Amino acid sequence: MDWDYEALSQRGRAETARGALLAALVAREFECRELGRRGTALVAVRGALELEIWPRVVWVENPLWATERFILAPGLWACPMLLRQGHPPDLYLVPSQRWLEPDEVFGTRPGRALGPEWTIRMLRTPMPAELHEYELERMLTRLGVAAPVPGAVSVALQNELRRRARDEVGAVEAARWLHEAGVLKDSAARPGLPLRELLRAGAVEGAEQRPSRWNGRWFIRRAGAGSVAPLGQPYVRADEDATQADRDPFPIDPTIVERGTRSHARLQNALAEWVQAQGWDPRRPGPGEPQYDLAWEAGAVRWVAEVKSLTGENEERQLRLGLGQLLRYRHPLGETGEVRAALMIEYPPSDETWLSLCRELDVEVLWPERLRAGEAV
């Protein structure tokens, strides 16, 4: 989000800041409802914890927060929302009883009708240290409210869209998915409201509002539907010295298992080094992606690779496993463009029909000698 406040009206600034506040509360599983004829205050409830919050925007050019509308009582909180061009709103949560001991930051001044005004001088150089302890996230943590998992809503929705093979979902249906998965509790009175607050704050990947105005309907599009999402994340070299000392006993000889683990790591690292030598970037699986061993992009083509160590006894089984995994991995990744598959093994298959089968299925079979001879892909 650009946080371009100068392009917004005063009301637009207030709605943007309020949306950020609601998104922060909803992400911590608060149920929120508005109070007052104009929604000047809101009540946030989470279990036995209930907060009555009075939010108000403070523009950096006039950094004085003032109100005469609330009394100094337990459970009543002021929420100054400081806007600075190009930055997300700075949100604070101050208990009203803080003004029982006024000072140069938290003070009073004569009001116009309803009694004294309670004030906060938001900016000095530097920012008053007294304000830091009232930062919203810090105060919610102090109140015993666990911090949200970053991106949990986006990850859950993107995974569900892929699982259902859907390009997009409306906000109400998406909210039901999240509620059923235990990721974000929905509102019984206004289904979809907690998710919509996150959408308005720009906190959900793939969010679109159609038409693009305040009353437009919200949708979440699957990453890769109409655009290509990044492939995986940077490769981390496999440990070639791994042992199975702590492995639970199996009917399989541990030395064979250990040999397979080390061989797999060496093959995987050799393939990653070859990919780098071609000028490409080896990748490992990212969140929500198939658990392939290695991937890379060669121009417009994406490659996904599975690595299998072999012995005379397990060769047939390993080849079957590797081929099946590749076909499964290639299918979802292929939704965003051309994807090819490579099976990396220790030596050429003893049964040459494996090579013809893989050619028919457009799967490249690699082994170290092929890489060294420059015969691969």
Side-chain angles (χ1 to χ4, degrees):
M1 198 165 179
D2 293 336
W3 307 109
D4 183 8
Y5 305 113
E6 292 178 349
L8 298 175
S9 65
Q10 184 174 354
R11 180 178 177 181
R13 293 174 182 176
E15 288 178 349
T16 299
R18 192 180 182 90
L21 169 62
L22 286 168
L25 294 170
V26 166
R28 290 178 181 251
E29 300 183 344
F30 278 94
E31 291 188 13
C32 301
R33 68 178 188 274
E34 293 184 338
L35 288 179
R37 187 176 58 185
R38 298 182 181 177
T40 49
L42 62 89
V43 173
V45 180
R46 186 181 189 270
L49 179 62
E50 181 172 319
L51 310 174
E52 183 176 333
I53 301 172
W54 287 71
R56 185 162 180 164
V57 169
V58 182
W59 184 236
V60 70
E61 295 171 354
N62 182 29
L64 176 70
W65 182 92
T67 185
E68 58 183 353
R69 295 192 177 192
F70 71 95
I71 60 175
L72 308 187
L76 194 58
W77 302 74
C79 180
M81 305 181 292
L82 179 65
L83 303 188
R84 294 177 293 154
Q85 180 69 8
H87 295 269
D90 293 325
L91 305 175
Y92 299 87
L93 192 62
V94 184
S96 64
Q97 292 182 302
R98 174 62 181 82
W99 279 272
L100 292 175
E101 299 179 5
D103 54 31
E104 61 179 357
V105 177
F106 298 92
T108 65
R109 69 181 184 184
R112 289 171 293 183
L114 303 177
E117 283 190 333
W118 314 107
T119 64
I120 307 175
R121 296 190 180 280
M122 299 290 292
L123 285 184
R124 290 201 310 253
T125 306
M127 176 77 80
E130 295 92 333
L131 276 177
H132 292 315
E133 66 175 293
Y134 296 110
E135 291 170 354
L136 178 68
E137 296 296 327
R138 189 188 298 262
M139 285 301 296
L140 291 176
T141 299
R142 248 200 238 164
L143 291 169
V145 182
V149 178
V153 167
S154 293
V155 170
L157 288 176
Q158 290 298 321
N159 285 343
E160 192 65 15
L161 284 167
R162 280 191 290 269
R163 189 181 74 82
R164 294 173 183 251
R166 296 267 296 274
D167 284 345
E168 67 179 26
V169 61
V172 173
E173 185 179 1
R176 187 165 61 249
W177 293 356
L178 294 169
H179 183 84
E180 292 171 353
V183 176
L184 180 66
K185 187 177 181 180
D186 202 6
S187 168
R190 299 178 63 185
L193 178 62
L195 176 59
R196 283 195 296 274
E197 299 298 354
L198 295 178
L199 293 168
R200 292 185 186 112
V204 179
E205 178 187 1
E208 288 185 8
Q209 192 173 22
R210 301 199 292 264
S212 182
R213 58 174 186 255
W214 70 271
N215 62 346
R217 291 185 62 198
W218 283 100
F219 297 86
I220 300 92
R221 289 187 58 78
R222 176 170 51 82
S227 62
V228 179
L231 178 64
Q233 51 190 327
Y235 179 68
V236 175
R237 187 174 177 82
D239 183 3
E240 298 180 11
D241 298 319
T243 69
Q244 298 295 321
D246 297 327
R247 186 182 178 96
D248 291 336
F250 279 97
I252 303 172
D253 186 341
T255 59
I256 297 175
V257 175
E258 185 168 303
R259 182 259 176 202
T261 301
R262 291 179 172 176
S263 179
H264 185 285
R266 284 194 295 271
L267 286 170
Q268 185 171 303
N269 288 335
L271 181 57
E273 290 165 3
W274 178 85
V275 168
Q276 284 182 313
Q278 312 312 304
W280 303 321
D281 183 23
R283 311 287 286 178
R284 60 190 174 99
E289 285 190 332
Q291 293 301 297
Y292 50 77
D293 285 326
L294 196 71
W296 65 92
E297 293 176 320
V301 180
R302 290 180 163 189
W303 283 85
V304 59
E306 181 65 22
V307 175
K308 291 296 177 189
S309 57
L310 305 178
T311 66
E313 292 75 19
N314 72 7
E315 180 179 320
E316 179 73 15
R317 183 174 69 252
Q318 289 286 80
L319 291 171
R320 288 179 185 175
L321 286 171
L323 180 58
Q325 287 172 281
L326 281 172
L327 296 178
R328 179 58 176 162
Y329 298 159
R330 187 172 64 182
H331 181 263
L333 293 173
E335 295 175 357
T336 60
E338 183 181 357
V339 175
R340 299 197 61 190
L343 179 60
M344 179 70 176
I345 55 179
E346 291 187 80
Y347 50 79
S350 303
D351 183 348
E352 294 186 358
T353 61
W354 271 103
L355 297 178
S356 58
L357 173 61
C358 288
R359 277 194 299 270
E360 290 177 14
L361 296 173
D362 196 23
V363 173
E364 190 82 15
V365 183
L366 307 174
W367 54 88
E369 287 73 15
R370 281 201 71 191
L371 299 184
R372 287 193 289 268
E375 299 174 358
V377 294

